[in-house]
Amino acid sequence: MARPRVRLVVTADDFGYCPRRDEGIVEAFLAGAVTSVSLLVNGAAAESAAELARRHRIPTGLHANLSEGRPVGPARHGASSLLGPEGFFLGKMGFREAVAAGEVVLPQVRRCGFRKMLVVRGELEAQLSRFRELLGRDPTHVDGHQHVHVLPGVCQVFAEALQACGVRFTRLPMERGVGGCAWLEAPARAFACAVEQDARAAMGPFARHGLRWTDVFVGLSTCGRHMSAHHVSGALARALEGIPTGRAVTAELMAHPGYPSVPPAGGSSEGPDAFSCSWERLHELRVLTAPVLWAQLAQDGVQLCTLHELDSKRPGEGTPSEATLETFLEPSPL
């Protein structure tokens, strides 16, 4: 069956997490399996990762982190609504719960007497500044570690900060049909559906501030042990259902390749987590660098590219005869 023509960006997240992770990411890039990376500027190996990016000319964006490790902005010197009592971010679910409860201050800075609380925009700007110090240039894109950038309220501040800094590309983690992926464990499936719902709501603020993203996204259903040529190809096929044959479509595959972390090295000041120390990162690396995946994608008419090569469109852009992305996407069932 004929399918739309797809140009695919493969982004390796968590660059700078630890030297072993970075070794695997660079290996995948040099093998032609990864075309973009997202750098954690508060990662334990951020400086050496930046050197690797310069040496190998790897297209590098910022993996904005508001949920894991220590901040890079002024909050590291005092109290902040972003941090717990030990001075670390609140964690993957802790940050979400704090945002939902209205406990995270979203405007740029609020003063209460002598107490200065760093908030979301201030930390984002500090991370963008740190990226420029490390790489000597602006990021190719900015996405969110653990998808914090699409959370309600945060997405607006995120879009404003990126527009002010002149960054145009981001990630919209909205994977079609992820709710029906029976191989995902129930908590992972519920989290993926929540991320997709948040991403759908973030489209408006992102578009109003001039941000761009690929037409389709895959990666929520193919993370870790679940990555396979079959699952990646299937996720792309679901994303393309209903899109007219012959239309040029841009896509992003989110990946987390690397060699397993060995404690205490790694992480963002807290040491590596269990997922990073597991075999699942290595599994992703092996799948991405094996011929079977790329043979399947070539058969599906998929071509690899970088963000720089994409002519990614905002929803509604293009010729009047082109349907928008929202025409073809429906929310995943919970």
Side-chain angles (χ1 to χ4, degrees), residues 100-123:
E103 297 171 357
V104 173
V105 183
L106 294 175
Q108 186 170 2
V109 172
R110 178 176 295 177
R111 291 182 181 272
C112 298
F114 294 105
R115 184 183 180 187
K116 184 176 181 180
M117 299 179 69
L118 183 73
V119 291
V120 169
R121 179 155 178 172
E123 178 60 21

Side-chain angles (χ1 to χ4, degrees), residues 229 287 290-297:
V287 171
V292 61
L293 173 61
W294 305 110
Q296 179 63 58
L297 293 181

Side-chain angles (χ1 to χ4, degrees), residues 24-334:
I25 289 174
V26 172
E27 181 179 318
F29 174 77
L30 295 177
V34 160
T35 63
S36 174
V37 302
S38 290
L39 176 68
L40 284 166
V41 296
N42 72 334
E47 292 188 7
S48 59
E51 173 57 31
L52 289 170
R54 289 192 297 269
R55 183 190 312 166
H56 298 290
R57 299 182 180 180
I58 304 174
T60 305
L62 171 65
H63 205 42
N65 183 5
L66 300 173
S67 59
E68 184 178 356
R70 292 190 185 277
V72 302
R76 67 185 186 276
H77 301 304
S80 167
S81 62
L82 293 176
L83 307 179
E86 301 301 319
F88 294 107
F89 286 129
L90 301 172
K92 177 179 176 178
M93 301 311 298
F95 180 72
R96 284 170 162 76
E97 292 165 0
V99 169
E103 297 171 357
V104 173
V105 183
L106 294 175
Q108 186 170 2
V109 172
R110 178 176 295 177
R111 291 182 181 272
C112 298
F114 294 105
R115 184 183 180 187
K116 184 176 181 180
M117 299 179 69
L118 183 73
V119 291
V120 169
R121 179 155 178 172
E123 178 60 21
L124 287 172
E125 290 173 343
Q127 292 188 21
L128 283 161
S129 177
R130 178 59 176 155
F131 183 99
R132 294 187 183 104
E133 290 175 5
L134 291 169
L135 275 297
R137 59 169 176 78
D138 288 333
T140 58
H141 64 280
V142 181
D143 53 36
H145 184 52
Q146 299 170 339
H147 311 292
V148 296
H149 67 304
V150 296
L151 287 172
V154 176
C155 64
Q156 175 72 25
V157 178
F158 177 85
E160 291 172 356
L162 264 61
Q163 183 183 46
C165 294
V167 176
R168 291 299 183 92
F169 280 94
T170 189
R171 168 185 291 164
L172 194 72
M174 195 164 65
E175 180 177 331
R176 187 178 188 181
V178 72
C181 296
W183 58 86
L184 293 176
E185 297 82 359
R189 189 163 62 250
F191 179 75
C193 289
V195 168
E196 185 198 41
Q197 183 178 359
D198 290 337
R200 186 176 296 276
M203 289 177 70
F206 285 1
R208 285 194 295 273
H209 289 85
L211 299 186
R212 299 179 177 224
W213 54 89
T214 56
D215 294 321
V216 299
F217 167 87
V218 296
L220 296 174
S221 68
T222 61
C223 188
R225 71 188 69 187
H226 303 301
M227 179 170 279
S228 67
H230 175 71
H231 283 166
V232 172
S233 178
L236 282 170
R238 289 193 305 274
L240 298 174
E241 288 178 5
I243 297 179
T245 300
R247 180 184 173 185
V249 176
T250 61
E252 180 187 12
L253 169 62
M254 175 186 69
H256 303 84
Y259 290 98
S261 301
V262 178
S268 303
S269 304
E270 297 179 279
D273 59 22
F275 182 40
S276 297
C277 296
S278 75
W279 58 271
E280 296 189 57
R281 302 288 189 172
L282 180 59
H283 173 73
E284 288 201 33
L285 175 61
R286 295 296 183 239
V287 171
L288 286 170
T289 54
V292 61
L293 173 61
W294 305 110
Q296 179 63 58
L297 293 181
Q299 182 178 327
D300 295 341
V302 176
Q303 295 181 333
L304 286 185
C305 67
T306 65
L307 277 174
H308 180 71
E309 296 168 323
L310 290 185
D311 182 22
S312 188
K313 297 181 176 62
R314 302 179 185 89
E317 282 189 343
T319 62
S321 62
E322 286 186 314
T324 66
L325 177 63
E326 286 191 280
T327 305
F328 307 109
L329 293 180
E330 297 297 335
S332 290
L334 296 176

